[in-house]
Each structure stands twice: as structure tokens, then as C-alpha cells.
Amino acid sequence: MPSFLSRPPRRIVVKLGTGVITSGIGQLNEPRLAALAAQITALRAQGSEVIVVSSGAVGLGMGRLKLERKPKIVSKKQACAAVGQSLLMQTWQRAFDPHGLTVAQVLLTHEDLRVRDRHLGVKETLRELVAYGTIPVINENDTVSAAEIKVGDNDTLSAMVAGLVEADYLVILSTAPGLIDMKGTGKIVPVVEKITPAIEAMAGGTTSETATGGMITKITAAKLATRSGCGVFIASGAEPDILPRLFSGRGPGTFFVPSGLPLESRKLWLAYFQRPHGTIHVNTCAVPVLCEQGRSLLAVGVTGASGTFAAGEVVNIAGPDGKVIARGESAFSSEQIPVLAGRKSDQVRALHPSRKHLEVVHRNDLVLL
Ligand code: GLU
């Protein structure tokens, strides 16, 4: 654990898994929610803004509809979410009532985070909700989210939200006590400085009937959030007083150290909120040009394109081994790229005489992954 903190964090996103707020299938754990509401209120009293990401809609809906297994059919799952989401919000409001706080339901789809205008709109609304003194309680809008517009799990959603609101900390509370070093000490790893393949190998999925992610999605979320300069805790929501304990460095849980400087928000948007429409493939020489020299991608380094994309759409950039090294907005379409691939700038100019910029992906529109 980090020996913390000289002043209270400015902004914290707290994500609660289905297993934290329910016991059994779809039975609310009201004492747990009450305890967490009290801890969140205490964080606010010390001057931190808190935004909650709460799972549980599907699980609570299953409970109310007396289903023992999560339905496989999407529309049935969406129906469970519709039933459960209102129960979830009622419960959160009841939990915050004794503290005189009002909760605000915010339901998001991947589109709301991906489309830049909507993304900025969500950010503004969250800012207003916090300014009104409410506690935003966010969930994915499961009832209307078809697979292709879904974030899919609330760990990832919470990391996206943490990036969006520029949170200093993301706390992911679930039934897992932290990241466990199964093959080594068998104990919780207290601090992760860098998410290496060895760290990723420690993570498994979930076997719970109502939950979604497991440790794998938590590590992915930690990767996203630390990359945007946010410290991440993974800890058990069943531990008493877990939030103040984490923030005073007394654990138990795993702390992921934020990496480097925060990406500025446009790059963050490119990197994490976009789904790439295709891939631009580059040659061996282009890799260090992008990764080490921090320059734009020129046609001469390009070997081809896959997928179908228009100029201005977001694409992955992959090295000769197929590994995705960057993401960016392509200035050319997937049809134009094969014609340009491998050509020098004067040849590109001859093909596109009216263009001011000849880069295939300009540095300002590119982020390394
Ligand atoms: N949105 C889902 C729900 O409220 C949860 C997804 C998740 O836990 O990752 O049930």
C-alpha cells in the first residue's frame, strides 16, 4: 500500500460489483450498502468528489423475477436489467437518505463515451450533478445496449468514467480481496507498479451466476485507468471500512500506481473510447519512428490496410508482427491506403495535389498503446 496521502483526493470513482451489493441471487445486502454509503459520505465530508459506478441491475432483476440462472437470451437479460435498475436506484437512495444526500441515475452506452459530443455532454452533466451535491450512480444502460454498442462490463466502464472525469483514484470493490499471487506467495499483491504479462497472468475470470467480469476485466480496467494518470485500488467490498482504510494506506487490497503523465484528453478519447474501424499495417522501420521518435505515420512506413474505414475514422496501427502499437485517426480511407503504401511524400503529393497535410496519421491524432 502507498503510505498516503498528504491531502484528500480531489475526485474518486468507486465501482461496486454485483457481489458486493447482493447476497445470494438478487437479494440486496442492505447493511453493506448502508455501510458503503456512510463511507462515501465521509469521503465527501473530507472534500473529495465521489462518483459511483454500480452493478447489480441484472442480478436484482433476476432476484425479483425469481430466476436462478442468468438468461442466455439477450432480451431476457435486458428485461432483468430494466426490473433491477429501478430497484438498484431505490436502494441507493435509501442508503444515502440518512446522510441527507441525493443520488442521480446515469445510464450510459458505449456510444455515449465514444462519440465526442456525447462524451463531452456526459462529462458536463456529471460535473453539474456533483456541483448540485448529488452522488451520481452510473451503470451501463443494459436494457438498450445491444452487443455492438456495449462496453460489456462495469470494470471497464468505471475506468472509462474515471478517465472521463479525470479522477485521481478508481476503487474497484468486488468479492475479490485484491490481486492474489496464486503461483507465488498465495497472498494479495499490495502494490503493482506496472501491469506486466506476469501480473496479467495472475488474473482469472468469474464463476458467479450474476457477476460479469472477474479479475481479468479488473486488470484491464486498471490498465486503462492508470494510463490516464489515475491510481487504482482493487479490494473487497465486504471488508469493514474499506474505503477509509484504503485511503489511509491500511489496505487490504491491491494498489496500481498511475503510470506517467496523464494523456491529454483528446488522446485519451482516441485511445480508450473509440472502437477502431480497421487497421493500418506498418513496416519495421516505422515502429521506432512512432514509438521512440514520437513522429507522425507517413505513407513510406505503411504496408497496407485491413477493414473498411473512411478518412477521419479511428484505426489501429499494427507492426509487422501484427501487434497493435498505436491508435489514431487515419487521414486516408482504407481504399486510398494501398495506393499510398510505401510511397515517398512527393509521390503522395502527386496523387493528392490539393492536400495540405500528407501524413497518413498525424502525430496529434495518434496515441501509443
Ligand atoms: N451492468 C450490469 C448490471 O448492472 C453489470 C455489469 C458488470 O458487473 O460488469 O447488472
Side-chain angles (χ1 to χ4, degrees):
M1 276 303 123
S3 60
F4 261 36
L5 289 167
S6 51
R7 60 198 157 80
R10 198 174 38 97
R11 196 167 296 136
I12 305 166
V13 173
V14 179
K15 186 263 170 178
L16 300 143
T18 302
V20 174
I21 56 179
T22 58
S23 39
I25 289 184
Q27 300 309 310
L28 267 170
N29 190 333
E30 299 237 17
R32 173 95 40 84
L33 257 92
L36 287 163
Q39 293 171 46
I40 290 169
T41 305
L43 288 178
R44 286 193 22 136
Q46 69 172 27
S48 303
E49 295 175 1
V50 184
I51 291 168
V52 171
V53 175
S54 176
S55 301
V58 174
L60 289 178
M62 284 169 60
R64 184 56 73 101
L65 297 172
K66 304 204 178 341
L67 306 178
E68 304 245 302
R69 307 207 162 277
K70 198 188 265 185
K72 297 262 178 302
I73 297 171
V74 174
S75 55
K76 287 192 193 289
K77 245 186 294 194
Q78 291 178 317
C80 287
V83 171
Q85 181 62 32
S86 71
L87 297 172
L88 187 62
M89 289 312 294
Q90 289 168 35
T91 314
W92 275 118
Q93 186 55 65
R94 267 204 309 280
F96 279 106
D97 272 341
H99 308 287
L101 288 171
T102 298
V103 296
Q105 168 178 272
V106 180
L107 296 178
L108 299 176
T109 65
H110 190 257
E111 288 298 286
D112 301 320
L113 297 166
R114 190 186 69 78
V115 179
R116 186 144 174 90
D117 290 353
R118 278 161 75 169
H119 167 112
L120 295 174
V122 172
K123 184 168 176 166
E124 206 42 50
T125 307
L126 289 171
R127 209 196 311 266
E128 293 296 354
L129 287 170
V130 170
Y132 276 127
T134 71
I135 309 266
V137 177
I138 300 176
N139 196 358
E140 179 143 35
N141 196 351
D142 295 309
T143 303
V144 300
S145 293
E148 50 292 351
I149 61 161
K150 237 174 142 48
V151 176
D153 70 88
N154 276 1
D155 296 325
T156 308
L157 181 72
S158 68
M160 287 176 153
V161 169
L164 179 76
V165 301
E166 293 158 39
D168 318 89
Y169 294 97
L170 165 64
V171 185
I172 299 181
L173 296 181
S174 70
T175 49
L179 178 67
I180 311 269
D181 183 3
M182 293 289 212
K183 294 205 186 93
T185 61
K187 298 214 179 83
I188 300 174
V189 181
V191 181
V192 174
E193 301 235 0
K194 190 163 189 272
I195 302 175
T196 58
I199 293 289
E200 290 179 290
M202 291 179 193
T206 180
T207 51
S208 151
E209 198 50 55
T210 50
T212 302
M215 194 50 71
I216 293 176
T217 54
K218 289 176 183 50
I219 301 287
T220 308
K223 234 177 171 174
L224 284 183
T226 52
R227 187 69 205 279
S228 54
C230 173
V232 178
F233 292 100
I234 295 179
S236 165
E239 284 285 339
D241 286 329
I242 188 65
L243 291 174
R245 283 162 77 194
L246 290 174
F247 283 107
S248 60
R250 286 178 288 130
T254 302
F255 179 67
F256 295 77
V257 179
S259 66
L261 291 174
L263 292 173
E264 44 115 336
S265 71
R266 184 184 151 72
K267 296 225 166 178
L268 201 65
W269 176 76
L270 270 177
Y272 300 129
F273 297 103
Q274 294 301 303
R275 284 212 175 124
H277 292 262
T279 303
I280 295 178
H281 303 276
V282 302
N283 60 27
T284 318
C285 302
V287 176
V289 170
L290 297 177
C291 297
E292 283 152 36
Q293 298 164 25
R295 305 208 334 242
S296 298
L297 176 62
L298 301 180
V300 71
V302 171
T303 56
S306 50
T308 307
F309 51 89
E313 285 190 323
V314 172
V315 295
N316 279 335
I317 298 172
D321 56 358
K323 192 163 167 247
V324 176
I325 52 176
R327 189 168 285 176
E329 275 176 15
S330 175
F332 294 93
S333 71
S334 51
E335 274 182 12
Q336 292 171 317
I337 284 182
V339 184
L340 304 175
R343 294 192 189 254
K344 300 233 167 67
S345 291
D346 48 352
Q347 295 173 296
V348 178
R349 182 167 296 112
L351 287 164
H352 297 275
S354 60
R355 278 199 182 234
K356 239 171 62 210
H357 302 290
L358 301 174
E359 297 87 358
V360 175
V361 182
H362 191 277
R363 191 70 209 172
N364 293 343
D365 301 328
L366 182 148
V367 62
L368 297 175
L369 294 177

